[in-house]
């Protein structure tokens, strides 16, 4: 655990502006040339409740939250202090100081708002501070804020104090404030910022060593979340229709898209439920628009039947599934990877869908674009599966990632000339044409026409249908149509193998051990891989993003190459490991699971310890909420 | 030029154009009221002047949902209760299409009740035909939301304890701007009402009484009918919400007492459609969204230009 990095935690009451303050501070760190990763922790309530945001910054790439943290700004909580509010919401006291101490590193720095908090009230605080060599600074942030503006501006005072203690310039912070506000509010904030800065510089003796790291970027960076990645990928693929119903954390994508669609000539619809939402996306796509919908667990459950409808009518759509801890409404604001099987298997019959699980914001962008391309070229529903951690966590990404040309191509749609020819040749257009008894020619795809195109009329039906779209229970037709739809997955796999690489491998090529994962655990595992290799073991990781169709060859090669592999995932039932075994039909003897499902994402240290406890040696896992499990079968 | 060359084609239109070249085998029972809807719809189309290929018919599941199989146009036979959300998005994506949604009383007032309420509320410019046979036909005769109280079926052997849905009143209170009831036994009125509904610029709801001789043995259940516009006994202003509402309630009560009142019950020609409302708030493009994908000169905006806020 080195301190060439800053991991700054701002804690307080939910609804106290922690989010916006931390966003700005993260950007200021980015502007100073550092790489940044943010992690937000908040309870499922609107106001009140303990919340924090962690910002990790260093010169090298940051791929995850760190192991614990080294700087605490404890703001105190203004909530439930007036009797009316107290009567209404109760008087649960938020303890931004005591609640956060367990994870503060040795030698860490604490700034707390002495206007609201008192260390005397925390039993054994002084003793712990001494034992852990914490450097504690008390500052009446609230008083300072009140004096120059309003009490809520104590966030700003806290940032000013932070900058002073870390020897940072105020320049970037001031610049961001000027971008975000104006007039009296700006004046007051600037004054509070400077006052706090000066007072810490002048009046306090600095006993700690921690300083803000310095760095520089070769390329302009942007601070974005996975939800931004998905939204921007969709927009660049020409998606101009979104329909949804709010549900955390899917709401992030829904709101970002809605913010931009009207000005980009698109349409956003908030509708009555998720069955409607998915059905609208189908209707819009059928009429010739690039359309998307999505939800989280429970809402996605409602989309089960429309999903199958899109598949059998071969209407392209992209659905987003933002996982949170389940079952049922579970823990709305906590991440989990527990909807994998739900997304893979929901809907009746032998239904097929494409599933991508990007691992970071840049991958969210690229794979959402891929999802649209595949959905429209192959006329199949494509799902982008990610989770609450990736949804809201922000990360620095080179802006060049987004510097791509738009692709509004509708894919496998006929032209009017095609229709004229088809009518001339066959008397009519065959929407669900197959070429031979196998039905698997042209990758299973037969081109579609759009309502309004002359000569292209057909019936899209959720019932089995023949080539022209008439409902049919003819056994031969059924078999061929089934084969044709199923053939798409093989064709898509080939396409993906040729044109994209969604299974990044990290670490030494000849490593002895492997770590296998999917989705948002990518970064934390790569950090853990570095740590494990530094400590003398030899390990590499693979983060699988193509969940369906599954990249069998690549994963097989990876697993054949290592002695044993740890499958790391955030759920209790090892869904991904079972998927891997199911797809490959082997490797049971080689695979072990490291599972975490307590509502918090993995920290690198947990992965390292999990690895050591199973494969490399010995480690005590009792202090973590993780579990090791060996695979069954072969 | 438009990418959708069938749209706005001006020519004489014959109702036979709406008959599929190869008619699929009929699955409706002899004497089924559904034939009446199909016929009335085919007759109405030429009056509205819409070609089969600029028309999108979205149906639900049920005997009624098979309508799209026997009607030649662009069709979408969706899932049970969900014709409306599919249809209204198609209309938003390409407002130049003539969009019709259709399904049964179970489909539309039962499983799809939520969508009915919300589509009416939004006043999408489309026509919604509900085949009201007071029964679940396709699943073999279970009690439906419009079955009378006391109706006995295999799933309600002691007779239904529920009051039937009031479709007309429900449409009105939800916000439909055109509400009518017609019957398969009344072909001329049915044709006229369907044409009117399609020409109406807003959500037009047509409760279409269709007999189901297979499960509701009495094929003559809607005879004799009274056309409220033709009768001197019923004098009300269809543009007045209050009067329309009273008349609807009378019609809904009377139906279960053997008096079949049909006709136009409500029309608000002034209320802007949802699409117009959305355009007025700047939430929807003036040009059909679907056209844009065929416009080679259109400059697609890039997310790269949105990045300023993330720096
Ligand atoms: C989700 C779902 N639930 C149930 C069914 C079975 N189902 C098919 S049609 C139908 C009822 C149809 O009744 P109605 O809508 O009145 O239409 P009708 O057949 O009388 O025209 C039911 C329950 C289904 N297809 N899908
Ligand atoms: S079951 Fe009833 S509704 Fe269905 S086709 Fe037969 S008569 Fe018509």
């Amino acid at each position: 655990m080195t301190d060439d990095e800053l991991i700054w935690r701002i804690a307080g009451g939910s609804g106290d502006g922690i989010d916006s303050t931390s966003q700005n501070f993260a950007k200021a760190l980015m502007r100073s040339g550092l790489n940044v990763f943010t992690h937000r922790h908040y309870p499922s309530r609107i106001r009140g409740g303990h919340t924090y945001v962690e910002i990790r910054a260093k010169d090298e790439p940051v791929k995850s939250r760190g192991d614990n943290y080294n700087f605490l700004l404890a703001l105190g909580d203004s909530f439930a202090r007036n009797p009316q509010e107290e009567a209404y919401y109760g008087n649960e006291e938020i303890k931004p100081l005591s609640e956060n101490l367990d994870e503060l590193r040795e030698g860490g720095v604490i700034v707390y708002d002495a206007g609201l908090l008192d260390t005397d009230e925390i039993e054994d605080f002084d003793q712990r501070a001494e034992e852990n060599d914490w450097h504690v600074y008390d500052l009446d942030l609230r008083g300072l804020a009140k004096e120059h503006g309003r009490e809520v501006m104590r966030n700003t005072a806290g940032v000013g104090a932070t900058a002073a203690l870390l020897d940072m310039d105020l320049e970037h912070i001031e610049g961001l404030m000027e971008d975000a506000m104006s007039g009296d509010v700006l004046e007051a904030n600037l004054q509070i910022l400077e006052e706090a800065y000066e007072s810490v510089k002048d009046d306090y003796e600095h006993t700690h060593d921690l300083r803000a790291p310095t760095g520089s970027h070769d390329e302009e960076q942007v601070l974005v979340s996975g939800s931004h990645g998905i939204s921007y990928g969709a927009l660049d693929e020409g998606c101009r229709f979104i329909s949804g119903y709010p549900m955390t954390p899917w709401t992030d994508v829904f709101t970002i898209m809605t913010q931009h669609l009207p000005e980009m000539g698109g349409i956003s619809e908030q509708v009555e439920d998720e069955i409607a939402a998915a059905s609208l996306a189908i209707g819009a796509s059928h009429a010739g628009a690039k359309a998307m919908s999505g939800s989280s667990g429970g809402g996605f459950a409602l989309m089960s039947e429309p999903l199958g409808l899109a598949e059998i009518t071969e209407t392209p759509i992209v659905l987003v599934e933002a996982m949170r801890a389940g079952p049922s409404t579970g823990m709305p604001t906590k991440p989990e990877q527990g909807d994998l099987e739900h997304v893979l298997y929901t809907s009746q019959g032998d239904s097929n869908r494409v599933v991508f699980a990007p691992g970071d914001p840049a991958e969210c962008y690229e794979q959402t674009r891929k999802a649209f391309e595949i959905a429209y070229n192959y006329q199949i529903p494509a799902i982008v599966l990610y989770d609450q951690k990736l949804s809201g966590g922000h990360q620095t990404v080179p802006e060049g990632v987004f510097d791509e040309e738009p692709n509004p191509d509708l894919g496998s749609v006929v032209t009017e000339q095609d229709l004229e020819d088809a009518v001339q040749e066959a008397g009519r257009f065959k929407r669900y044409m197959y070429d031979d008894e196998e039905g698997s020619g042209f990758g299973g795809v037969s081109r579609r026409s759009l309502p309004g195109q002359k000569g292209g009329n057909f019936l899209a039906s959720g019932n089995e249908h023949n080539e022209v779209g008439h409902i049919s229970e003819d056994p031969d037709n059924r078999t061929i149509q089934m084969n044709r739809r199923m053939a798409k997955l093989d064709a898509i796999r080939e396409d993906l193998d040729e044109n994209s690489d969604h299974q990044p491998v990290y670490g030494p090529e000849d490593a002895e051990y492997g770590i296998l994962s999917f989705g948002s655990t990518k970064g934390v595992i790569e950090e853990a891989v570095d740590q494990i290799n530094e400590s003398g073991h030899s390990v590499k990781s693979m983060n699988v993003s193509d969940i369906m169709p599954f990249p069998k060859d690549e994963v097989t090669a990876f697993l054949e190459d290592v002695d044993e592999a740890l499958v790391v995932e955030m759920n209790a039932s090892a869904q991904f490991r079972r998927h891997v075994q199911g797809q490959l039909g082997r490797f049971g003897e080689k695979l072990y699971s490291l599972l975490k499902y307590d509502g918090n994402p993995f920290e690198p240290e947990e992965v390292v310890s999990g690895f050591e406890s199973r494969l490399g040696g010995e480690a005590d896992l009792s202090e973590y909420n993780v579990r090791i499990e060996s695979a069954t079968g072969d | 030029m438009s990418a959708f060359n069938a749209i706005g084609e001006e020519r004489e239109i014959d109702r036979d154009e709406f008959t599929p070249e190869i008619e699929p085998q009929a699955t409706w029972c002899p004497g089924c009221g559904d034939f009446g809807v199909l016929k009335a719809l085919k007759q109405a189309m030429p009056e509205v002047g819409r070609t089969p290929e600029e028309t999108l018919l979205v149906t639900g599941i049920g005997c009624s949902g098979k309508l799209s199989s026997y009607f030649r146009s662009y069709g979408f036979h969706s899932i049970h209760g969900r014709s409306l959300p599919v249809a209204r998005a198609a209309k938003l994506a390409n407002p130049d299409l003539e969009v019709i949604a259709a399904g049964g009383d179970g489909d539309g007032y039962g499983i799809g009740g939520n969508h009915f309420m919300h589509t009416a509320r939004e006043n999408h410019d489309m026509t919604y035909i509900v085949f009201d046979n007071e029964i679940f036909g396709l699943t073999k005769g279970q009690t439906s939301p419009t079955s009378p109280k006391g109706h006995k079926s295999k799933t309600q052997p002691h007779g239904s304890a529920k009051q039937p849905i009031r479709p007309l009143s429900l449409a009105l209170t939800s916000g439909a701007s055109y509400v009518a009831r017609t019957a398969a036994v009344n072909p001329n009125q049915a044709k006229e009402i369907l044409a009117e509904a399609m020409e109406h610029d807003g959500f037009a709801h047509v409760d279409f009484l269709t007999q189901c001789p297979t499960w509701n043995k009495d094929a003559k259940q809607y005879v004799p009918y009274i056309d409220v516009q033709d009768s001197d006994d019923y004098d009300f202003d269809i543009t007045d919400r209050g009067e329309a509402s009273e008349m609807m309630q009378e019609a809904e009560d009377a139906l279960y007492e053997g008096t079949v009142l049909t006709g136009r019950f409500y029309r608000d020609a002034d209320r802007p459609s949802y699409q117009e409302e959305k355009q007025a708030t700047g939430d929807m493009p003036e040009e059909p969204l679907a056209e844009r994908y065929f416009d080679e000169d259109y400059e697609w905006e890039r997310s790269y230009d949105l990045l300023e806020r993330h720096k």
Side-chain angles (χ1 to χ4, degrees), chain A residues 305, chain B residues 34 61-65 79-80 82 103-108 111 131 133-139 142 144-145 210 212:
Chain A
E305 220 196 347
Chain B
D34 295 6
I61 297 295
C63 299
S64 46
I79 43 178
H80 197 30
R82 319 298 167 193
D105 40 70
D107 187 81
I111 192 166
F131 295 53
N133 57 10
E134 300 177 19
I135 200 94
F136 281 15
L138 192 69
T139 45
Q142 298 84 358
S144 100
T210 53
C212 170

Side-chain angles (χ1 to χ4, degrees), chain A residues 122-274:
Chain A
I122 304 171
E123 220 185 308
D124 68 13
F125 179 83
D126 292 334
Q127 193 196 333
R128 288 180 74 181
E130 202 181 305
E131 276 169 17
N132 287 296
D133 187 25
W134 290 334
H135 304 266
V136 186
Y137 302 88
D138 61 331
L139 209 65
D140 183 4
L141 302 170
R142 180 204 205 186
L144 223 148
K146 256 182 159 168
E147 192 185 322
H148 298 286
R150 286 184 297 126
E151 191 179 323
V152 288
M153 296 177 184
R154 61 191 194 285
N155 287 340
T156 305
V159 171
T162 302
L165 287 167
L166 291 174
D167 252 352
M168 290 171 68
D169 259 349
L170 286 184
E171 171 201 11
H172 296 302
I173 302 168
E174 286 169 341
L176 280 157
M177 284 183 166
E178 280 156 14
D179 290 351
M181 25 186 151
S182 60
D184 290 348
V185 179
L186 174 64
E187 282 311 311
N189 271 294
L190 287 176
Q191 204 171 357
I192 292 167
L193 183 77
E194 274 156 34
E195 191 101 5
Y197 186 86
E198 296 302 335
S199 115
V200 172
K201 283 263 172 211
D202 299 343
D203 306 344
Y204 288 78
E205 195 196 330
H206 296 196
T207 57
H208 63 278
D209 298 329
L210 184 68
R211 295 289 176 270
T214 51
S216 66
H217 297 301
D218 299 337
E219 228 190 306
E220 174 102 66
Q221 303 284 309
V222 289
L223 189 66
V224 292
S225 66
S227 295
H228 287 111
I230 290 178
S231 303
Y232 293 170
L235 291 173
D236 284 352
E237 275 306 298
C239 170
R240 290 294 181 273
F241 189 97
I242 192 167
S243 43
Y245 189 84
M247 185 165 189
T248 305
W250 138 260
T251 311
D252 287 349
V253 163
F254 190 29
T255 26
I256 295 168
M257 289 294 284
T258 306
Q259 241 172 18
H260 298 297
L261 277 177
E263 72 207 37
M264 289 186 162
I267 299 173
S268 169
E269 281 286 286
Q270 183 187 323
V271 296
E272 57 271 27
D273 60 34
E274 287 84 353

Side-chain angles (χ1 to χ4, degrees), chain A residues 36-49:
Chain A
V36 175
F37 185 99
T38 76
H39 163 68
R40 53 176 186 163
H41 169 103
Y42 61 109
S44 299
R45 52 191 285 185
I46 307 305
R47 288 220 8 113

Side-chain angles (χ1 to χ4, degrees), chain B residues 71-287:
Chain B
F71 185 77
R72 180 178 171 265
S73 70
Y74 276 93
F76 201 115
H77 181 221
S78 67
I79 43 178
H80 197 30
R82 319 298 167 193
S83 63
L84 286 174
V86 173
R88 70 197 211 221
K91 183 72 184 180
L92 285 171
N94 191 350
D96 288 347
L97 296 172
E98 180 66 42
V99 175
I100 305 165
D105 40 70
D107 187 81
Y109 305 145
I111 192 166
N114 194 20
H115 309 310
F116 178 46
M117 198 164 86
H118 286 276
T119 313
R121 163 167 89 107
E122 290 167 2
N123 198 33
H124 288 267
D125 179 16
M126 55 189 273
T127 301
Y128 184 37
I129 306 169
V130 180
F131 295 53
D132 187 356
N133 57 10
E134 300 177 19
I135 200 94
F136 281 15
L138 192 69
T139 45
K140 301 194 185 318
Q142 298 84 358
T143 308
S144 100
T146 51
S147 300
K149 191 166 174 221
H151 178 265
K152 286 189 180 167
S153 70
K154 282 185 191 149
T155 50
Q156 258 91 2
H158 303 292
S160 166
K162 302 178 194 183
Q163 285 289 346
I165 285 270
R166 295 171 163 267
L168 308 175
S169 304
L170 190 61
L172 181 76
T173 45
S174 300
S177 51
Y178 181 94
V179 185
R181 171 176 269 170
T182 187
V185 288
N186 191 355
N188 286 335
Q189 184 207 46
K191 176 195 81 179
E192 280 167 25
I193 282 182
L194 288 183
E196 227 173 76
M198 282 186 267
E199 273 159 359
H200 175 75
D201 189 11
F203 186 71
H205 170 235
V206 181
D207 187 63
F208 205 121
L209 301 172
T210 53
Q211 68 280 9
C212 170
T214 305
W215 305 111
N216 262 348
K217 291 292 174 211
D218 185 3
K220 298 243 180 310
Q221 58 186 324
Y222 303 123
V223 184
Y225 57 85
I226 298 164
D227 182 334
V228 290
Q229 264 83 34
D230 274 357
S231 161
D232 294 337
D233 297 342
Y234 303 96
D235 181 28
F236 71 105
D237 177 0
I238 67 162
T239 65
D240 183 300
R241 275 188 93 82
E243 290 186 28
S245 170
E246 267 179 41
M247 194 56 228
M248 286 174 181
Q249 288 180 43
E250 192 176 335
E252 283 159 342
D253 287 337
L255 187 66
Y256 298 104
E257 287 150 15
T259 309
V260 183
L261 302 181
T262 63
R264 293 90 170 149
F265 288 86
Y266 182 65
R267 181 170 57 218
D268 179 354
D270 298 330
R271 183 172 165 207
S273 70
Y274 183 58
Q275 172 200 333
E276 287 163 339
E277 301 270 23
K278 232 174 136 65
Q279 275 171 349
T281 60
D283 256 4
M284 188 169 151
E286 298 281 331
E287 293 288 305

